[in-house]
Amino acid sequence: NHVVEDPVKVSIGNREIVGFGMNGQPNYMDRVDFPMPAIRFKEVTADIQILKSKEEGDWSKLTIEEKKALYRASFCQTFAEIKAPTGEWKSVLGFSLVGISLACW
């Protein structure tokens, strides 16, 4: 017998679907304009499962490291990391100037 697997589960693995997402597809993107992706960033491991069970209780009993681990299980980057300058403008400006100099030559 041939077992037909759900194509969504094949593409996302063991990651949890947590919402509709940007376009209704089960994909992950870090975006400032749409901060809630459809799936979690990391797959559920034994460590994350333990933290998730602790998360259901009193949050004041969680350490800062545990809260950060829970955040990183759901998201890849913080807003500050997403908005941080990448320096891409330097390569764009450089290639533009090369193109302009070749056009003038």
Side-chain angles (χ1 to χ4, degrees):
N1 290 330
H2 179 68
V3 176
V4 179
E5 293 187 32
D6 183 8
V8 170
K9 287 292 185 185
V10 170
S11 65
I12 68 170
N14 193 24
R15 296 193 284 177
E16 184 181 3
I17 297 176
V18 292
F20 183 76
M22 187 173 77
N23 56 5
Q25 299 296 318
N27 52 20
Y28 182 89
M29 288 182 277
D30 278 326
R31 295 182 56 133
V32 176
D33 59 337
F34 198 86
M36 293 176 242
I39 59 175
R40 300 217 187 269
F41 177 64
K42 291 184 179 177
E43 291 188 0
V44 178
T45 61
D47 295 336
I48 293 173
Q49 190 62 39
I50 291 169
L51 288 175
K52 285 175 71 84
S53 64
K54 287 177 76 174
E55 177 186 33
E56 293 173 3
D58 187 10
W59 275 49
S60 63
K61 294 179 182 176
L62 292 172
T63 66
I64 297 294
E65 288 75 24
E66 290 173 333
K67 290 176 186 176
K68 286 181 181 180
L70 281 168
Y71 182 86
R72 291 296 182 176
S74 293
F75 303 102
C76 179
Q77 297 178 314
T78 63
F79 278 106
E81 291 170 342
I82 294 170
K83 291 182 175 184
T86 61
E88 182 182 5
W89 68 272
K90 296 173 189 176
S91 61
V92 171
L93 179 64
F95 284 121
S96 299
L97 292 175
V98 167
I100 290 170
S101 66
L102 288 175
C104 292
W105 182 44

